[in-house]
Amino acid sequence: MLMVASGCSSSSPPPAKGPEPAAAHLVLWTGGTHAFTASVEDDNIIGSRISLHRASIASPASMEFSEGPGFQGSAYDIPVNVSFDGASARGIFGGGPLNLDVIEGPAGVMRIQGIVGNAQTSFEVGANHLSGYVGRCTYDLKRTTAPFRYEGIRSCGRGSHRARVEITKPIVEWTPIETATLLSLALAR
């Protein structure tokens, strides 16, 4: 179950406007330059830049985990094959590894650390904010009045944009590593 935290700025930017998705979903919107939407139907995660199946799959031979729950498909047209074992995810994202670990902290904070397709990843999700970095992008988002909806700034390279991340059921009810892996894939581009 997702519990969320971390933060930097004391002032909140104006609400970011962007696509309004259907019921069960994950949305990442950044200043009109990028929109990622995903809906969950049974064990399929389908959206604007994602097509994953959530099920029991065999890990690639080079990974340490055997058959188990995981994601298989693509995100941003990049192949994904990931297995979960407790609080860890191991697999591939394109030509690079996807190795993530979730550390659950006090007050429901979830810290995600590892590598997503050769990009270092370290971010926290808590009740009041989502912050940290995935690859070349950093996030400093604060929770709005809606549960699991965060708005703020996304900085990638030289540019910064307003951003919004919104997560609903059933995604917030998955295991922390499943939720963290899906978030990492969405935030990776």
Side-chain angles (χ1 to χ4, degrees):
M1 180 156 108
L2 178 67
M3 303 296 274
V4 232
S6 179
C8 300
S9 172
S10 61
S11 63
S12 297
K17 297 187 194 264
E20 296 298 332
H25 66 271
L26 168 71
V27 171
L28 165 64
W29 178 83
T30 59
T33 61
H34 179 85
F36 177 103
T37 59
S39 295
V40 179
E41 298 173 17
D42 299 318
D43 284 327
N44 296 306
I45 305 156
I46 299 170
S48 60
R49 294 185 164 108
I50 193 164
S51 178
L52 293 176
H53 183 69
R54 179 177 172 248
S56 182
I57 60 174
S59 293
S62 64
M63 299 297 129
E64 65 183 73
F65 298 144
S66 59
E67 289 188 20
F71 291 151
Q72 191 170 38
S74 66
Y76 298 103
D77 295 322
I78 299 170
V80 174
N81 189 354
V82 179
S83 292
F84 305 124
D85 184 13
S88 297
R90 300 288 184 262
I92 59 168
F93 179 53
L98 188 147
N99 297 322
L100 294 173
D101 295 300
V102 171
I103 302 160
E104 294 184 74
V109 173
M110 184 169 69
R111 175 173 283 155
I112 300 97
Q113 295 181 316
I115 297 173
V116 177
N118 292 322
Q120 291 293 319
T121 297
S122 180
F123 67 99
E124 290 184 353
V125 183
N128 295 314
H129 64 277
L130 184 155
S131 65
Y133 62 90
V134 179
R136 64 184 188 90
C137 296
T138 60
Y139 295 84
D140 185 13
L141 309 178
K142 308 283 185 229
R143 188 183 76 122
T144 65
T145 56
F148 307 113
R149 182 175 175 156
Y150 305 87
E151 295 181 0
I153 301 295
R154 174 184 190 233
S155 301
C156 298
R158 295 182 188 174
S160 295
H161 301 281
R162 290 173 38 196
R164 180 179 81 210
V165 173
E166 185 173 335
I167 313 159
T168 67
K169 293 180 180 180
I171 298 166
V172 296
E173 296 172 338
W174 291 350
T175 64
I177 192 62
E178 290 175 304
T179 303
T181 301
L182 183 58
L183 268 173
S184 297
L185 290 169
L187 301 174
R189 293 278 181 228

